[in-house]
Amino acid sequence: LPMMNVVSFAISCPVVGMAQGALDCFEESLRGKSGPGRTADSVSIQMRFAEASAETEAARVTTFYNLKELLERSARGESMSVREFTGYQRNRIFAARLAVQAITRLFEVGGAHSVYASQALQRYFRDAVIASHHTSLNWDNILEQYGSVALRG
């Protein structure tokens, strides 16, 4: 089992964790608050929160499933094809992309105060966006690799 496949989770897993942290932070900041503006009563904010929640859960499930599969295969001493290898990488990167989308969605509806350095949501947003630029999370490269392997053989 290529060690790089497992080690690359060291970049993507924290991004998924950041999405959960941002979701928890956002929920805590609005739970029980009502009134005009960006509050818990806003249908738009409720919808963005629900969507970010779905993205975060999908990212977490994909990440855990991928990692579990890789570790089980490794324990059995199984090798993998190039297509399988690139498929795991594609799924790992996609999960990180979902996590960044979730955080961005929350940041965009978090209000102007979200940009202050004292706000946890801006920290999650900043850190996730920066992490998403790591070479191991390059979406275009893995799409090209997977597509080429899958369609050309």
Side-chain angles (χ1 to χ4, degrees):
L1 186 68
M3 193 59 184
M4 186 57 192
N5 209 328
V6 176
V7 171
S8 60
F9 280 88
I11 302 297
S12 60
C13 285
V15 176
V16 174
M18 288 176 213
Q20 187 61 57
L23 198 64
D24 293 345
C25 168
F26 189 87
E27 181 178 358
E28 180 63 31
S29 72
L30 289 182
R31 187 183 298 126
K33 295 183 179 174
S34 60
R38 300 192 180 284
T39 65
D41 292 337
S42 168
V43 172
S44 175
I45 289 176
Q46 292 167 4
M47 291 171 62
R48 297 298 80 76
F49 175 79
E51 193 169 9
S53 177
E55 289 166 331
T56 300
E57 188 168 337
R60 187 175 51 252
V61 168
T62 300
T63 297
F64 287 148
Y65 177 81
N66 249 13
L67 196 51
K68 179 179 176 279
E69 284 266 316
L70 285 167
L71 293 173
E72 286 175 356
R73 287 182 79 157
S74 177
R76 292 189 301 265
E78 292 179 19
S79 61
M80 69 176 73
S81 68
V82 174
R83 182 174 181 164
E84 290 170 321
F85 176 79
T86 56
Y88 283 119
Q89 293 293 358
R90 178 207 57 209
N91 295 347
R92 178 185 59 76
I93 296 169
F94 185 69
R97 287 174 58 86
L98 281 175
V100 172
Q101 283 175 204
I103 296 167
T104 301
R105 188 175 318 286
L106 296 173
F107 185 74
E108 288 174 348
V109 296
H113 70 279
S114 295
V115 302
Y116 294 126
S118 62
Q119 298 298 309
L121 188 55
Q122 91 49 52
R123 191 172 54 254
Y124 287 119
F125 175 75
R126 181 197 65 216
D127 292 352
V129 169
I130 290 168
S132 74
H133 292 287
H134 190 275
T135 189
S136 73
L137 296 179
N138 189 309
W139 185 234
D140 288 342
N141 283 351
I142 198 61
L143 290 180
E144 180 185 357
Q145 290 171 24
Y146 182 82
S148 176
V149 168
L151 299 177
R152 292 184 184 166

